[in-house]
């Protein structure tokens, strides 16, 4: 009996992890119907009718640009003639950082390495035209349609002379070969990055993925992302699971948590992260998802990293941070140097402190340098060496409330230190 | 079982949960990138690598400190995951594109049965390499289309890593720091009872805990000083229960350690030797003491003159250095903001002639302005005791700043004629009394 429980748990984990970790494609893109139709139509026109096109898919990170494209390609490739004819070239701005590398990659993905051989071309354009010519079918009547998919499209705009973009878009404008150039980018201002001659060859067709999901739709998404599919082997278990998930959606505490997440970030990627963290608490001994799992997951994903780091500082380092906070309050955010901080610290030691020992200057410098290493303070001009280290101007990378909250959570904080932090004039 | 052993190592329940999800079912997908942060010596590398080794999961452990170029990172990763043949497929000076291509090629022949982990220590150094490396590694699973997860370990929080236009956000995991109670229970020494050792650690923490919480440093200090702690026991002067006597013996020693070994002023070997010759309670000469290089006679005066030029406003020169200056009104003497600003803001630049003017008035004997005086100024700049300010092409009015602290100047002035120090006390008596 227990081995079947293990097996069941394995399958649940596999299905859900594929969804959350591997970004498995949904059956249909949710909430993006019109954009999906638009993209599909465009790609179909290139694949079936031989029209050349270019389009940019623009949306913030995690909005579903790649997902949308892959769904469209999946549907299109169901048509036999498309599957046999169309070639795809996938480029990424992160990988192909140079037009030369990009061209080699295009050659490789079109399987034309042998055809090109050792040929030397005069220009990029010549090379590209040669490749496209080589794709012509036997009767030389028409070329096979090619999809050029450029992820991180904005990074290609930083290449020298934007040669790749110019040539690809040029081909898409002229009637040489049926080509679809699809760019995916997170930058709304991507057109500003393009040179005039490149911009003029672009069709100015953009598909925007700006999410306008309401909270109800977000709740539905939560439910459907956690739902087990109908073809789950143990149908009784899957029904129970799905019922449990629906009940969770009705619970007030869970709704509050989801509202908080919805208010800060509505996209599916952050939802998947939250659900994955909740999923890690599901195991054989704890086979269903509970509200407390969602609560814990939410707490973990919204923890303040800097507060966590402040928790582990020594008392001397904490005192230095409080001294810097006071300097920021008095001088309204002007940069400070070590001497000033040490001065404030010494004032505290002499007047108010009984618990903090009067440490020697080199010991205090070492603590200060530890804070510098943790990047809690940063030099103003990037660390010019000509200034003595005690006089180098720095800024504190924490604000008033972060310091005060960290102080509340600090383990066994001496009371005089706390009072010094709260007092207005140091 | 290995899982239980590792569970004991982990500090909190939350970290446990998340990490156990890693090892739960490695045949399935893991989140593409995980970012683990926490202070030094909180066990990040140790726990992750031990976990992966014990559970025999395929992984590559790379320290970014060793990877001067990205190519070294790629090579080490491929070597660990696929063997030397795949690493040889990389071209010279490989880019991320080459790495992805070779990875895809090799993994097509060896498809993943379990998640492959790439662990990158000191991941903050990735920010200084090529701009596409960090975003590329974060979404490596998508780029190579394989069951691989990248784990980044760092001391620095994720907010400082995020590129301008964003990236794939990794799963963030915090390794909390050790509590005082936990530190007390961590170590033991075989030749003595655990109670004795823990009372020793208690005393050590009493001195050092408010200054430093790095476990490595504390362990190092504990190891260095334990023999001194046990000295009274060895000699028979005290019993194990006599904690007060043991404390009285070790506490001044630990305080001295804070001024020397902790600051790396002396090496551990020197410290150990000094403990052995206990008869000579001489002060250990640290590195800073050695910085008081033996300077020529006039160089010392030049340096003192430079300090005075840097920290006194030019208006007050007449008052201090001219023999019969007449009276100066007290009110115009010290501007209010100058009192605090000079010693807090650092040295101010001064022109060469001002330095020479002060130098001639400070030096007691008659000194001719020969080239040797000027060459000593250049030597002081080379020794970085003076800093040259301004452009190199300003040959006629070079400006300098004094780059040493007051302690240094006072140490030097003790070596020269006693009456010169009265100039310093005169100057600083006013400034230090704020």
């Amino acid at each position: 009996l227990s081995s079947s429980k293990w097996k069941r748990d394995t399958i649940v984990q596999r299905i859900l992890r594929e969804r959350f970790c591997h970004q498995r494609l949904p059956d249909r893109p949710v909430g993006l119907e019109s954009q999906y139709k638009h993209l599909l139509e465009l790609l179909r026109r290139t694949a079936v009718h031989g029209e050349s096109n270019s389009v940019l898919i623009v949306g913030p990170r995690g909005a579903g640009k790649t997902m949308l494209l892959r769904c469209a390609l999946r549907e299109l490739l169901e048509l036999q003639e498309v599957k046999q004819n169309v070639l795809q070239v996938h480029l990424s701005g992160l990988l192909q950082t140079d037009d030369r590398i990009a061209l080699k990659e295009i050659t490789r993905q079109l399987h034309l390495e042998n055809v090109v051989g050792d040929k030397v071309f005069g220009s990029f354009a010549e090379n590209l035209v040669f490749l496209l010519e080589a794709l012509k079918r036997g009767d030389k009547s028409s070329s096979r349609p090619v999809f050029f998919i450029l992820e991180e499209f904005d990074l290609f705009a930083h290449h020298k002379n934007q040669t790749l973009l110019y040539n690809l878009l040029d081909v898409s404008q002229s009637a040489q070969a049926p080509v679809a150039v699809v760019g995916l980018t997170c930058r709304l201002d991507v057109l500003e990055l393009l040179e005039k001659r490149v911009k003029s060859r672009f069709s100015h067709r953009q598909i925007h993925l700006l999410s306008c999901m309401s909270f109800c739709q977000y709740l539905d998404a939560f439910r459907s992302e956690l739902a087990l599919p109908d073809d789950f082997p143990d149908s009784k278990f899957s029904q129970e699971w799905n019922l449990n998930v629906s009940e969770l959606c009705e619970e007030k505490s869970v709704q509050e948590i989801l509202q908080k997440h919805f208010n800060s970030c509505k996209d599916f990627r952050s939802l998947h992260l939250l659900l994955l963290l909740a999923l890690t608490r599901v195991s054989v001994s704890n086979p269903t998802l509970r509200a407390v799992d969602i609560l814990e997951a939410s707490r973990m994903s919204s923890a303040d990293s800097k507060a966590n780091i402040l928790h582990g500082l020594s008392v001397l380092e904490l005192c230095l941070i409080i001294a810097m906070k006071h300097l920021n309050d008095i001088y309204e955010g002007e940069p400070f140097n070590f001497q000033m901080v040490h001065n404030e610290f010494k004032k505290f030691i002499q007047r108010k402190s009984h618990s903090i020992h009067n440490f020697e200057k080199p010991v205090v410098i070492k603590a200060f340098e530890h804070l510098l290493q943790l990047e809690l303070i940063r030099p103003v001009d990037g660390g010019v060496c000509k200034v003595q280290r005690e006089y180098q101007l720095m800024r504190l990378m924490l604000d008033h409330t972060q310091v005060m909250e960290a102080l509340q959570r600090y383990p066994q904080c001496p009371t005089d230190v706390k009072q010094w932090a709260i007092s207005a004039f140091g | 079982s290995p899982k239980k052993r590792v569970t004991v190592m982990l500090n909190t329940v939350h970290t446990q949960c998340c990490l156990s999800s890693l090892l739960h079912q490695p045949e399935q997908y893991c989140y593409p990138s995980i970012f683990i942060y926490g202070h030094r010596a909180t066990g990040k590398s140790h726990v992750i690598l031990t976990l992966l080794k014990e559970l025999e999961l395929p992984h590559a452990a790379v320290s970014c400190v060793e990877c001067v170029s990205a190519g070294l990172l790629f090579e080490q990763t491929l070597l660990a995951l696929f063997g030397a043949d795949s690493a040889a497929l990389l071209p010279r000076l490989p880019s991320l594109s080459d790495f992805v291509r070779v990875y895809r090629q090799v993994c097509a022949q060896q498809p993943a049965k379990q998640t492959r982990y790439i662990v990158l220590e000191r991941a903050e150094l990735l920010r200084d390499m090529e701009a596409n490396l960090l975003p590329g590694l974060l979404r490596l699973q998508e780029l190579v289309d394989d069951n691989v997860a990248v784990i980044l370990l760092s001391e620095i929080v994720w907010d400082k890593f995020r590129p301008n236009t964003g990236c794939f956000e990794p799963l963030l995991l915090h390794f909390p720091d050790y509590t005082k109670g936990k530190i007390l229970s961590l170590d033991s020494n075989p030749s003595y009872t655990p109670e004795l050792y823990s009372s020793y650690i208690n005393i050590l923490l009493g001195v050092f805990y408010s200054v430093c919480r790095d476990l490595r440093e504390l362990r190092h200090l504990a190891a260095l000083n334990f023999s001194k702690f046990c000295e009274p026991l060895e000699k028979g002067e005290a019993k194990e229960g006599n904690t007060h006597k043991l404390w009285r013996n070790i506490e001044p020693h630990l305080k001295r350690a804070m001024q020397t070994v902790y600051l790396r002023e002396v090496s551990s070997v020197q410290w150990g030797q000094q403990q052995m010759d206990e008869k000579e309670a001489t002060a250990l000469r640290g590195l800073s003491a050695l910085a008081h290089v033996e300077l020529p006679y006039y160089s010392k005066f030049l340096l003192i003159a430079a300090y005075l030029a840097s920290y006194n406003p030019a208006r007050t020169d007449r008052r201090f250095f001219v023999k019969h200056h007449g009276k100066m009104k007290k009110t115009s003497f010290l501007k209010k903001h100058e009192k605090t600003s000079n010693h807090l803001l650092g040295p101010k630049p001064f022109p060469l002639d001002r330095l020479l003017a002060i130098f001639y008035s400070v030096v007691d004997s008659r000194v001719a302005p020969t080239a040797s005086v000027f060459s000593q100024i250049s030597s002081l700049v080379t020794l970085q005791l003076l800093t040259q300010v301004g452009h190199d092409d300003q040959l006629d009015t070079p400006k300098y700043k004094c780059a040493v602290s007051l302690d240094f100047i006072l140490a030097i002035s003790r070596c020269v004629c006693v009456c010169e120090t009265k100039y310093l006390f005169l100057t600083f008596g006013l400034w230090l009394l704020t």
Side-chain angles (χ1 to χ4, degrees):
Chain A
L1 191 65
S2 74
S3 79
S4 76
K5 269 197 200 162
W6 267 101
K7 253 172 64 180
R8 201 175 53 200
D9 182 62
T10 311
I11 302 178
V12 169
Q13 292 276 342
R14 184 172 50 81
I15 293 174
L16 292 178
R17 271 160 188 263
E18 241 188 75
R19 238 180 246 168
F20 305 151
C21 299
H22 197 57
Q23 327 293 342
R24 181 161 178 253
L25 290 183
D27 298 328
R28 285 205 77 85
V30 173
L32 298 169
E33 276 75 39
S34 60
Q35 290 102 327
Y36 182 67
K37 253 183 22 196
H38 187 175
L39 183 64
L40 193 60
E41 188 50 38
L42 213 122
L43 291 175
R44 193 202 312 274
R45 288 219 296 267
T46 305
V48 177
H49 304 295
E51 241 182 65
S52 280
N53 272 317
S54 54
V55 67
L56 274 179
I57 307 178
V58 181
R61 298 248 175 221
K65 305 181 285 290
T66 314
M67 185 268 292
L68 189 75
L69 181 64
R70 286 200 185 147
C71 282
L73 287 173
R74 181 180 60 182
E75 188 170 324
L76 215 53
L77 287 171
E78 284 169 10
L79 296 173
Q80 196 60 9
E81 57 171 310
V82 173
K83 197 165 162 191
Q84 281 178 342
N85 255 345
V86 169
L87 293 163
Q88 294 180 45
V89 175
H90 291 260
L91 300 175
S92 169
L94 285 179
L95 297 179
Q96 279 80 47
T97 45
D98 202 315
D99 289 334
R100 204 180 32 86
I101 300 176
L103 199 52
K104 271 211 231 139
E105 189 61 27
I106 295 175
T107 315
R108 199 174 289 127
Q109 291 195 20
L110 292 175
H111 307 294
L112 291 174
E113 283 140 308
N114 295 330
V115 177
V116 168
D118 289 330
K119 257 172 113 83
V120 171
F121 296 98
S123 71
F124 193 102
E126 230 183 273
N127 197 338
L128 191 61
V129 162
F130 177 82
L131 290 175
L132 291 173
E133 284 279 319
L135 294 175
K136 278 199 157 72
R137 281 190 285 221
D139 58 2
K140 301 252 195 254
S141 59
S142 54
S143 187
R144 292 170 70 177
V146 187
F147 289 164
F148 284 99
I149 304 194
L150 282 74
E151 297 254 9
E152 314 281 345
F153 184 84
D154 48 290
L155 295 179
F156 285 106
H158 295 301
H159 293 183
K160 186 157 173 269
N161 292 338
Q162 300 183 353
T163 329
L164 175 72
L165 292 182
Y166 174 74
N167 284 293
L168 279 181
L169 291 173
D170 195 39
V171 170
S172 77
Q173 286 263 315
S174 63
Q176 293 171 13
V179 148
V181 180
V182 183
L184 292 90
T185 177
C186 65
R187 290 186 66 157
L188 263 181
D189 63 343
V190 61
L191 285 184
E192 317 278 318
L193 298 171
L194 296 178
E195 278 180 26
K196 190 156 154 268
R197 57 177 189 151
V198 179
K199 206 196 277 197
S200 63
R201 280 165 176 77
F202 174 55
S203 69
H204 284 76
R205 227 180 256 114
Q206 292 186 50
I207 299 178
H208 288 278
L209 298 184
L210 300 167
S211 167
C212 42
M213 237 196 316
S214 69
F215 183 60
C216 285
Q217 289 171 319
Y218 191 73
L219 269 181
D220 284 336
F222 172 80
R223 193 182 299 123
S224 63
E225 289 294 312
L226 278 175
L228 291 175
D230 299 328
D231 57 0
F232 193 76
D234 186 349
S235 61
K236 181 163 162 293
F237 177 80
S238 70
Q239 276 172 14
E240 269 175 28
W241 172 278
N242 292 343
L243 192 62
N244 180 41
V245 171
S246 301
E247 279 169 11
L248 271 181
C249 288
E250 306 296 315
E251 258 189 73
K252 197 150 187 308
S253 58
V254 175
Q255 281 195 2
E256 267 172 27
I257 294 168
L258 289 177
Q259 180 77 54
K260 198 173 71 136
H261 276 265
F262 177 74
N263 288 341
S264 61
C265 194
K266 311 197 231 188
D267 59 56
F268 272 83
R269 199 176 272 171
S270 51
L271 179 63
H272 283 167
L273 192 56
L274 179 69
L275 295 177
L276 178 68
L277 285 170
L279 187 67
T280 59
R281 300 172 64 93
V282 167
S283 62
V284 175
S285 48
N286 178 25
T288 51
L289 214 54
R290 305 160 298 171
V292 68
D293 295 329
I294 310 275
L295 182 64
E296 275 305 313
S298 167
R299 225 183 42 83
M300 269 190 82
S301 68
S302 49
D304 183 4
S305 320
K306 281 189 183 157
N308 283 336
I309 292 290
L310 284 173
H311 188 270
L313 291 180
S314 67
V315 176
L316 176 60
E317 288 156 0
L318 192 68
C319 287
L320 290 180
I321 291 206
I322 297 173
M324 290 180 223
K325 178 189 88 77
H326 280 302
L327 283 174
N328 274 345
D329 291 339
I330 299 172
Y331 295 107
E332 286 163 11
E334 287 282 314
F336 49 79
N337 60 31
F338 171 74
Q339 283 291 113
M340 297 186 206
V341 176
H342 191 49
N343 209 27
E344 277 296 312
F345 177 63
K346 277 202 294 222
K347 285 202 276 194
F348 165 61
I349 299 273
Q350 282 156 15
R351 282 205 318 250
K352 292 189 197 166
S353 168
H354 309 289
S355 60
I356 311 290
H357 179 63
N358 186 8
F359 294 111
E360 295 192 355
K361 194 166 170 193
V363 177
V364 184
I365 290 186
K366 186 162 174 169
F368 190 78
E369 288 185 335
H370 185 219
L371 292 176
L372 188 58
Q373 196 173 27
L374 288 172
E375 296 192 13
L376 290 172
I377 51 181
R378 217 170 49 118
V380 162
D381 49 2
V384 177
C385 301
K386 284 221 157 180
V387 189
Q388 272 173 281
R389 63 182 179 169
E390 294 111 332
Y391 296 109
Q392 190 153 60
L393 288 175
M394 310 266 178
R395 280 217 150 89
L396 181 64
M397 297 281 108
L398 301 164
D399 66 37
H400 188 102
T401 37
Q402 273 178 310
V403 177
M404 298 314 286
E405 272 175 26
L407 219 65
Q408 295 301 320
R409 285 179 45 192
Y410 193 78
Q412 295 154 357
C413 184
T415 23
D416 44 3
V417 173
K418 262 198 190 148
Q419 285 178 347
W420 176 41
I422 299 172
S423 75
F425 293 103
Chain B
S1 78
K3 187 169 171 180
K4 237 190 214 163
R5 243 181 292 158
V6 175
T7 318
V8 167
M9 275 199 272
L10 293 173
N11 235 325
T12 63
V13 180
H14 308 128
T15 339
Q16 208 172 346
C17 254
C18 236
L19 276 181
S20 67
S21 79
L22 267 182
L23 45 107
H24 186 70
Q25 266 149 13
E27 297 88 41
Q28 294 160 20
Y29 284 104
C30 181
Y31 205 70
S33 43
I34 300 175
F35 182 79
I36 301 182
Y37 66 102
H39 281 280
R40 275 180 289 180
T42 43
K44 303 183 293 290
S45 310
H46 182 66
V47 169
I48 296 288
L49 294 176
T50 313
L51 253 182
L52 293 172
K53 273 202 203 85
E54 293 267 335
L55 298 165
E56 292 170 11
L57 296 170
H59 67 280
V62 179
S63 171
C64 296
V65 180
E66 296 171 4
C67 298
V68 175
S69 70
L72 287 168
L73 201 156
F74 301 144
E75 222 180 275
Q76 285 186 40
T77 309
L78 286 176
L79 193 66
L81 290 178
F82 298 110
D85 309 329
S86 57
L89 289 172
L90 280 173
R92 214 169 144 266
L93 301 176
S95 64
L96 185 63
S97 173
D98 294 316
F99 173 63
V100 166
R101 181 177 46 86
V102 172
Y103 191 108
R104 287 187 101 126
Q105 203 179 325
V106 178
C107 124
Q109 293 152 9
Q110 302 176 33
K113 286 176 287 223
Q114 288 180 314
T115 313
R116 296 191 172 112
Y117 297 96
I118 303 178
V119 181
L120 298 170
E121 298 173 49
R122 298 290 302 275
E124 63 266 17
L125 297 169
L126 286 174
R127 300 176 296 176
D128 305 325
M129 296 200 220
E130 291 107 343
N132 67 334
L133 187 60
L134 181 62
L137 285 172
L138 290 169
R139 37 169 89 232
L140 194 64
Q141 194 183 93
E142 184 189 322
L143 291 174
V144 300
D145 198 18
D146 181 40
N147 188 2
V148 63
V150 176
I151 303 178
L152 302 168
L153 305 176
S154 177
E155 221 191 345
I156 299 186
V157 300
W158 174 249
D159 305 321
K160 312 253 177 205
F161 280 73
R162 204 177 278 121
N164 278 344
T165 51
C167 59
F168 185 91
E169 295 284 323
L171 197 153
L172 301 180
L173 206 55
H174 173 59
F175 258 64
D177 34 283
Y178 287 103
T179 57
K180 196 167 183 180
K182 191 103 185 149
I183 296 181
L184 282 169
S185 62
L186 275 177
D187 272 338
S188 64
N189 191 289
S191 8
Y192 293 93
T193 60
E195 291 85 28
L196 179 74
Y197 195 76
S198 88
S199 68
Y200 166 59
I201 298 290
N202 226 337
I203 299 172
L204 183 84
L205 289 181
V207 176
F208 282 99
Y209 196 61
S210 53
V211 169
C212 166
R213 298 215 170 163
D214 187 344
L215 190 64
R216 270 191 213 123
E217 287 248 30
L218 293 173
R219 271 194 169 148
H220 180 64
L221 289 162
L224 280 181
N225 295 302
F226 190 57
S227 52
K228 179 82 183 180
F229 178 75
C230 297
E231 227 177 47
L233 292 173
E234 310 252 307
K235 288 192 195 163
E237 290 169 10
K239 289 264 184 319
E240 277 202 14
N242 196 348
T243 39
H244 184 70
K245 182 134 191 213
L246 291 169
W247 176 79
R248 266 223 329 248
N249 175 48
I250 193 69
E251 212 227 358
H253 192 74
L254 289 176
K255 288 225 154 81
R256 260 205 312 275
M258 196 191 300
Q259 295 162 355
T260 51
V261 165
Y262 175 65
L263 297 173
R264 309 287 189 271
E265 290 277 319
V266 302
S267 71
S268 326
V269 173
Q270 278 176 292
W271 183 249
Q273 276 170 352
Q274 196 252 0
Q275 286 181 76
M276 302 221 286
D277 345 304
E278 47 171 271
K279 299 270 174 58
E280 311 166 24
T282 48
L284 218 47
R285 271 176 63 92
L287 282 173
S288 307
L290 295 173
H292 293 208
V293 173
E294 275 308 310
L295 290 170
Y297 185 66
Y298 287 150
S299 288
K300 291 187 184 140
F301 281 103
L302 279 170
L303 206 52
I304 295 173
Y307 191 82
L308 293 171
S310 278
Y311 287 97
N312 286 355
R315 302 171 300 107
T316 58
D317 282 351
R318 202 159 159 263
R319 165 87 177 76
F320 286 130
F321 304 115
V322 174
K323 285 266 157 39
H324 304 289
H325 53 259
K327 286 206 195 298
M328 250 180 92
K329 279 204 195 129
K330 255 200 180 153
T331 44
S332 67
F333 188 64
L334 278 180
K335 291 225 169 90
K336 197 167 181 191
H337 68 272
E338 281 172 344
K339 245 195 214 183
T340 41
S341 70
N342 280 6
H343 283 102
L344 292 181
L345 286 180
K348 305 236 173 4
F350 51 83
L352 178 63
D353 17 9
R354 188 168 167 228
L355 171 66
L356 291 173
I358 299 178
F359 170 65
Y360 290 131
S361 74
V362 165
V363 157
D364 47 1
S365 50
R366 299 234 152 218
V367 160
T370 57
S372 71
V373 173
F374 292 108
S375 71
Q376 285 185 36
I377 297 177
S378 306
S379 310
L380 286 175
V381 173
T382 316
L383 285 172
Q384 295 187 352
L385 300 171
L386 285 186
T387 337
Q388 187 153 8
V389 174
H391 299 293
D392 289 323
D393 48 324
Q394 274 180 329
L395 285 175
D396 48 346
T397 52
K399 286 197 171 183
Y400 300 93
K401 264 202 288 201
C402 180
V404 295
S405 64
L406 179 58
D407 301 322
F408 194 98
I409 295 290
L410 289 175
I412 290 185
S413 60
R414 267 180 232 121
C415 308
V416 302
C417 179
V418 168
C419 61
E420 299 317 314
T421 54
K422 80 165 187 267
Y423 279 104
L424 288 165
F425 287 123
L426 189 65
T427 324
F428 296 110
L430 293 161
W431 304 96
L432 290 175
L433 282 176
T434 41

